[in-house]
Every structure is written in C-alpha cells, then in structure tokens.
Amino acid sequence: MVLGGGDADGTGHELRGRDAAMDGALASLYGRERAPGGRAPDGGRRTAGLGASAPGVARWLGDIRTYFPSSVVQVMQRDAIDRLGLSALLLEPEMLEAVEADVHLVGTLLSLNKVMPETTRETARAVVRKVVEQLEKKLATRTRATLTGALDRSARIARPRHRDIDWDRTIRANLKNYLPEYRTVVPERLIGYGRAAQSVKKDVVLCIDQSGSMAASVVYASVFGAVLASMRALDTRLVVFDTAVVDLTDQLDDPVDVLFGTQLGGGTDINRALAYCQSRITRPAETVVVLISDLYEGGIRDEMLKRVAAMKASGVQFVTLLALSDGGAPAYDREHAAALAALGAPAFACTPDRFPDVMAAALEKRPLPIPDMTEQR
C-alpha cells in the first residue's frame, strides 16, 4: 500500500511474487472504490475487490492468513465486515471455518444469531466455544486467585484460633506495641481469617447491557460470569437486558449457552434491569452489583438513579463499568456517568485483566482501582 499500484505510482519499482500477492490482498479490502466505468477515481487501477462472492472471500481469507500474523488477520477481517458489509457471508459454514476467531468475530456472530440457518449454527457455536475456551484459560486462574484472597481477607475475625491468625496483618496492627528491650511485638489485637468457606459469603449480580455497541463486553462478562459461578464462596447471578430483561443464571455453567441466549441490538432500559436485580437482592450488605453499560438510557432516568441510590444506601457495593473490553475509551453518556459519580458510584471502563482487581476491591468494600478518567476521554 505504501508503494501504490499500477506502475508503482512513480517509484520506478514493481511489486513481484509474494509482495505483489500481499499488496493484492490489501488492495481488495482497502483499495479505493471504483468510479463509473470501472476505473478508480484518479484513473488508477487500485480498487476494492472482494464484492459479495463467497468463493472470492474464501480465497481472500486464506491469503491473508498466509501473508499476515494472526493479530493483523483479525483486524482485516473486522474491517472487511465493517467496510464491505460481509456479515451475511458469515452465515455460511465454509466462511466460518476459514476465519480467524476472536472476541469481535464472536460479537458479530451473536448479532446474527437470530437469522442464522441451522446448517451454520453448529459451526458458529464451535467458533464461539474456541474463543471462550481461550479466554477462560487466560482469565480464570488469576480471577479465582485474586477473588479467593479478597474473600479470605473480608472474612477476617477478631478472635481467631491460633491456626487462623493472619500473622502479617496482626504484626502490622500491633507495631505500636513493640518492646525494644525484648525485641518483640505484644499482639494486643489478633486478626485472623474466618473459616466459613463452606457457606456462601458474597452475592454477585452481573447486569449486562446487550445493546449492539456492547458486544465485546457481553463476551467478556459471560466468561467472567462462568468463572465467578464456579467459585463456591460466591453466589453469582447474570442478567442481560435491552428493553427486556433476561436472567441467564441457570446457564452459567456454559458461557457459550449464555452468549447464545443474548440478543445483541435493540434499545436500552437500564431502570427496568436494575429493578429486576434489586428485587433479587436478599443480603444487601453482602452483595456486589456490577452494571456493565454505556449508560445510554432509554428508560426512566430519574428512577434509574433512585434505584442505584437505594441499593447503595442498603449496603450494596455498586460498580458501573462503561465497557469490559480491550477496546480503549468507550462512547458513553457522560451526563449519566456524572450523576452516578455524584451518588458515589463512579463509572469507568475496565479491561479484562483489571476486572479481578475491581471485583476484589468491591468484595472487600475498599476503594475501587479507578483509572484516570482523562485517559478514557
């Protein structure tokens, strides 16, 4: 693309062999549109060339996987879907088998779920499962380790048995009682771990906006929901919403089922979703509610804010994530975000690798690790 096409656009050098093939693959996607008469607007020969031909797209998918690394292939596939309107081709099994699977492709497949023919559905599920398993492998271990530690710390008791004493915290809490002449600390206050691991200690409610712009967040939240549900010390509920509310908690043992239970697109009624979540809270002081939404509310704004205020007043730890993805700064309703911040529930975007730390802070009822909001503008 740097050298251009035709006679190399005046460089005096012509692309050959593999370089010419790579240039052709790039030109098929990023070349300028044909003007009337079949020539590029400036009279050159570089044009967009994928069209709607399934065989042509299949060959192109094979070419880009040959010439470019996986990360670049994923970007090019995403651009092909956005720029050239190739979503319909993903309804064909042979197309799905040729693509490089990633979170964004899963989001596209989920948006096509309701129009997907049966001949494609199983292939689509296999593609989604592959991505989900990769994400679980990447995220599950750290999430469980981080949250197990948070749950242990939040269960500390003041009169522990000897084997339950948290010596590190106990020593730090009693440094003022250090006796230099004996070179020892007198532990007037013992801090220990609780041993109530058999019972559920915390309730977690994930409330996920499934409007079209939240596709990647839905994928990550479903994976995290399955991980949280696998921890016996947590009672996890997963709710998705647009203008309707769907409780997918009974499908949390398989995040692929959760994802195919969503319906990306449509409107947004955050107030209705929070009303449902609020009705399911039985232990406010032991509950964390995580709202994942860009906050473009189509319901009753004032009622939404009243519900958040009521939950916080009852002791609920309320977390608002504008996005749960690697996508960078999200588009969101700044007025609603400011209103939530005024209630003590600041809204911020969160990458998947930071989500365990956010949840750990919420479970321990300590300040959330909120990133610099200027970085998200």
Side-chain angles (χ1 to χ4, degrees), residues 115-347:
V115 298
M116 192 174 292
E118 284 301 319
T119 55
T120 306
R121 193 171 297 278
E122 285 307 309
T123 306
R125 287 184 68 90
V127 170
V128 172
R129 187 170 297 282
K130 177 182 177 181
V131 174
V132 165
E133 288 176 352
Q134 291 172 344
L135 292 177
E136 280 190 301
K137 184 177 180 180
K138 174 183 176 182
L139 301 172
T141 300
R142 180 169 178 268
T143 299
R144 292 192 182 102
T146 301
L147 298 192
T148 297
L151 288 164
D152 286 344
R153 289 188 293 271
S154 67
R156 287 192 177 98
I157 54 178
R159 294 184 179 180
R161 290 174 291 184
H162 185 271
R163 63 180 179 176
D164 295 335
I165 295 174
D166 181 346
W167 287 107
D168 183 58
R169 293 275 295 230
T170 295
I171 291 172
R172 278 188 282 154
N174 290 277
L175 286 176
K176 63 182 179 181
N177 301 321
Y178 178 69
L179 300 179
E181 62 272 26
Y182 294 103
R183 302 179 65 184
T184 190
V185 170
V186 178
E188 291 183 355
R189 177 187 169 209
L190 298 178
I191 300 175
Y193 297 111
R195 303 189 64 83
Q198 318 309 1
S199 61
V200 173
K201 301 174 185 174
K202 297 287 184 178
D203 297 337
V204 175
V205 182
L206 298 179
C207 186
I208 309 169
D209 183 345
Q210 60 177 350
S211 58
S213 60
M214 301 296 295
S217 297
V218 171
V219 176
Y220 280 115
S222 298
V223 172
F224 277 119
V227 174
L228 298 180
S230 70
M231 300 178 64
R232 285 183 291 179
L234 295 175
D235 186 7
T236 304
R237 182 177 295 275
L238 188 143
V239 176
V240 298
F241 68 93
D242 42 34
T243 53
V245 180
V246 181
D247 192 326
L248 297 175
T249 303
D250 60 351
Q251 299 179 36
L252 273 175
D253 59 332
D254 187 346
V256 176
D257 285 341
V258 170
L259 288 170
F260 277 92
T262 64
Q263 183 173 335
L264 292 176
T268 307
D269 193 337
I270 304 173
N271 177 54
R272 175 178 290 188
L274 291 181
Y276 177 84
C277 295
Q278 189 178 22
S279 72
R280 295 300 184 269
I281 295 173
T282 57
R283 304 187 306 148
E286 305 302 326
T287 299
V288 176
V289 174
V290 182
L291 171 65
I292 304 174
S293 173
D294 54 17
L295 301 180
Y296 287 110
E297 171 67 314
I300 307 173
R301 174 187 185 273
D302 290 342
E303 287 297 315
M304 174 190 76
L305 296 174
K306 286 179 181 178
R307 291 190 190 283
V308 175
M311 281 189 271
K312 286 188 62 63
S314 69
V316 171
Q317 298 297 302
F318 196 92
V319 180
T320 306
L321 301 182
L322 302 168
L324 178 57
S325 70
D326 293 308
Y332 63 96
D333 189 306
R334 296 180 184 277
E335 182 180 345
H336 289 164
L340 287 172
L343 295 175

